[in-house]
Amino acid sequence: MSDSIRNIVILTGAGISAESGIDTFRDGGGLWEQHRVEDVATPEGFARDPALVQRFYDARREAVQKVEPNAAHRALAELDAEWEGDLLIVTQNVDDLHERAGAKRVLHMHGELLSALCASCGQRHKWSEPLVGSPACPDCGAEALRPDVVWFGEMPYEMDRIYEELRRADLFVSIGTSGAVYPAAGFVRDAREFGAHTLELNLQRSEGSYWFDETRKGRASELVPEWVAEVLG
Ligand code: OAD
């Protein structure tokens, strides 16, 4: 890997957690074939049928606590521990597998399953239990906790920080994401414009593949450890 690389931004998506046993969204049999996005991933769907939405995320919260990080998460955690330059893992994933593998520099732009957001006072709370049944917010007492997950039509978390890191990045790597959802799908173009080398690691070419300097096709559990070994030399 070139000596000129110091700052790295890594974008991860559902594909990196697939081999841990978490369904992706858009692959055959994925979550969006099983559920309508409008019903379970929009503020309007939640207003219409809160219990349905709470049950959907309660089931996913329970499931995520039963799976383990895979070799791809572990390799990124090793890179995070060893890399002396700036590094940020921006994940679209709402699971905690990057952290459980040991990664520290992780930003959850689409929120977290193991967190609850109070719609009344705005506080975020670590949360591993069901939300159906309307437990009270530990801060304000309102029975207004919702999944701390960014729905369609809502603003992802920490966009200013992400763009700041993209601006300074020498290398942008996208792992296991279809490139179908903005703003994350646009990061490759932003990173390029700011002068970064861009690399995609994915099972198949993503929708934004054209924008990458290099695409490597395969399973994250194989490609990511190989790439990390290259980078750490
Ligand atoms: P998708 O389901 O859209 O895409 C997953 C990608 O991972 C696909 O391109 C697969 O080919 C690839 N893939 C599957 N298994 C893989 C493996 N073992 N190794 C490597 N790649 C693999 O998931 P995302 O791109 O993460 O947003 O979806 C983006 C957003 O859409 C999600 O964060 C979620 C969803 O709607 C919100 O809920 C706001």
Side-chain angles (χ1 to χ4, degrees), residues 208-221:
S209 226
Y210 170 82
W211 297 101
F212 288 88
D213 294 313
E214 191 188 346
T215 294
R216 299 183 191 175
K217 285 195 286 181
R219 293 145 67 99
S221 63

Side-chain angles (χ1 to χ4, degrees), residues 10 14 35 85 103 151 174 179:
I10 299 164
H35 304 270
W151 288 324
S174 170

Side-chain angles (χ1 to χ4, degrees), residues 9-185:
V9 174
I10 299 164
L11 173 69
T12 65
I16 198 167
S17 296
E19 291 167 75
S20 290
I22 299 181
D23 285 342
T24 63
F25 296 94
R26 294 175 183 80
D27 293 310
L31 274 176
W32 294 159
E33 272 184 13
Q34 303 168 41
H35 304 270
R36 279 163 32 106
V37 172
E38 308 86 296
D39 290 341
V40 299
T42 62
E44 295 77 13
F46 186 54
R48 240 182 350 256
D49 192 344
L52 172 98
V53 176
Q54 298 287 28
R55 279 197 303 272
F56 174 73
Y57 291 98
D58 282 355
R60 295 181 63 204
R61 189 178 306 106
E62 191 182 342
V64 88
Q65 295 178 73
K66 295 182 178 151
V67 301
E68 297 297 330
N70 64 54
H73 299 105
R74 288 194 295 273
L76 290 188
E78 183 194 349
L79 180 64
D80 179 27
E82 309 242 324
W83 189 253
E84 288 175 1
D86 282 1
L87 177 143
L88 184 63
I89 301 169
V90 178
T91 187
Q92 299 167 87
N93 298 343
V94 291
D95 64 55
D96 64 342
L97 296 179
H98 284 305
E99 289 89 341
R100 276 204 271 144
K104 302 272 187 284
R105 293 180 272 183
V106 182
L107 187 164
H108 283 270
M109 65 177 291
H110 288 167
E112 296 177 64
L113 276 174
L114 293 169
S115 175
L117 171 67
C118 179
S120 180
C121 72
Q123 278 298 320
R124 305 172 74 185
H125 302 281
K126 280 193 185 310
W127 206 270
S128 54
E129 299 299 315
L131 285 174
V132 78
S134 305
C137 169
D139 263 344
C140 73
E143 292 180 356
L145 293 176
R146 54 162 275 187
D148 191 5
V149 165
V150 175
W151 288 324
F152 286 91
E154 297 180 326
M155 183 61 85
Y157 284 113
E158 299 200 59
M159 290 306 297
D160 289 349
R161 182 171 160 219
I162 294 171
Y163 284 120
E164 186 51 39
E165 295 298 331
L166 287 171
R167 200 165 288 128
R168 291 160 9 83
D170 305 305
L171 176 62
F172 172 79
V173 186
S174 170
I175 304 170
T177 174
S178 62
V181 175
Y182 284 82

